[in-house]
Amino acid sequence: MLPYVTISDAELSLGRTLTTLERIWFGYSKDKSDYFLYCHNILFLFLIFSLAPLPLLFAELSRISGFERHKIQPKVRLSLQEMLRCYRDVLRMFFLVIGPLQLVSYPSIKFIGIRTGLPLPSAWEVMIQLAVYFVIEDYTNYWIHRFLHCKWGYEKIHSVHHEFTAPIGFAAPYAHWAEVLILGIPSFLGPAIVPGHMITFWLWIALRQIEAIETHTGYDLPWTPTKYIPFYGGAKYHDYHHYVGGQSQSNFASVFTYCDFIYGTDKGYQYHKKVLGKLKEEQLRTGERNSEKLD
């Protein structure tokens, strides 16, 4: 809750006029508790889990030609019933684990110093903090993910997430309840090390979930903006990890590829790409020879 009664009080305290965004934030948050503002995450996560996967799921069910050629595993098709079952299980996890965890974790947010007041952070501050959060989450998630692929971790916990060998957007948060809790640690670590504003925290949680959904869509879309992010893995990169399944010792990274490159856990994927590249070249040459014979 803001310590100001009016905008004039806020401007007097800051020694300047409020920006348009600060005025909007003041009007919305002035009489709301910090806990209530923090709990917005529950609504954001529910909407992201429910809505973000829908466009590509609709494209897959409708077999839209513009998307079909970008499907990574075109021979694998899930029915509408299978998709709805996945969403139902994700919602169950959301209401039984994720939601309650959000409700009780506020003291930790207060402890690390996530603030709700004025001034709002600059765009540069938000972008730098988000970049730091992604790097920290990616590095810590990499090692936890590798642990979950040891015999015990995979059999007892991680195998649930790998039930989808050709993932869909709804399958991004589809996991054992223990994995949901464990992988919450990397997501929280960045804001704990570099605390920022509640708006930055909202953006971080939202973008991280959208990114996870994108890498599980099963489509390698050439026009996605993430193609321009250096070292970004993307759907094709992570899809290979699901395709190999429990035997996978490759592509553990959640966002970027640098950890897999540094620690040598991308060799299986690179070999896979090389083999597929040769097969495509042979198919092209065979097609050219056949066309020459017909001429």
Side-chain angles (χ1 to χ4, degrees), residues 79-123:
S79 66
L80 176 61
Q81 289 72 24
E82 289 172 314
M83 294 178 181
L84 292 176
R85 179 185 65 81
C86 178
Y87 178 62
R88 180 201 65 197
D89 291 344
V90 167
L91 280 189
R92 182 186 297 119
M93 186 67 64
F94 178 82
F95 286 114
L96 295 180
V97 178
I98 299 174
L101 182 63
Q102 292 284 316
L103 291 173
V104 302
S105 60
Y106 173 71
S108 62
I109 294 297
K110 198 70 176 175
F111 175 76
I112 65 176
I114 300 294
R115 63 184 183 88
T116 61
L118 296 173
L120 293 183
S122 67

Side-chain angles (χ1 to χ4, degrees), residues 165-190:
T165 55
I168 57 174
F170 282 148
Y174 180 87
H176 191 283
W177 64 266
E179 180 170 347
V180 172
L181 295 178
I182 294 169
L183 292 183
I185 297 172
S187 296
F188 180 77
L189 198 56

Side-chain angles (χ1 to χ4, degrees), residues 7 11 17-28 118:
I7 289 180
E11 290 179 335
T17 58
L18 299 186
T19 65
T20 301
L21 289 177
E22 287 174 334
R23 285 174 175 267
I24 294 171
W25 178 251
F26 180 89
Y28 181 73
L118 296 173

